[in-house]
Amino acid sequence: MHELSIALSVVEAVEEFAAGYPGERVEEVRLRVGALAGVEAEALDFSFTVVCEGTALAGARLAIEHVPAVVRCRPCEREFAVRPPLDLRCPACGGGSVECASGRELEIAAVVLGTAEGADEREVAGDVPSP
């Protein structure tokens, strides 16, 4: 279950990032997870909850944005979503030479911080290393 190692990496990265905001606590971690990343969202959510226990992220929520698999046809450059059953032929030109445009993401999109009293939540994005 590689979701556990992903959760560990996310918690470590966010703890390091949150250390730069003393007096605030992590309320939520927002991840972008692509359909082709090979990550089971429920297993990641469970692992995140377990890994957060006893850390500065204890009680933090995990919000997962699912990024669809989209490929780009090399000959005509049209982008199209990939859905089961897996068919990578371009619906516009019928070509089969494609490159992935999205769907492999696994990144920390944002961290939501709040005060110890739970008021004044604010989203802090960027500069958080992704797993």
Side-chain angles (χ1 to χ4, degrees), residues 8 13 64 108 123:
L8 280 167
I64 299 174
I108 299 170
E123 182 178 319

Side-chain angles (χ1 to χ4, degrees), residues 2-3 5 8 20 40 44 57 60-61 82 84 87 95 119 122-123:
H2 74 284
E3 284 81 359
S5 65
L8 280 167
E40 174 58 47
L44 180 57
L57 277 76
R61 298 177 303 273
V82 178
D87 183 3
R122 64 190 176 96
E123 182 178 319

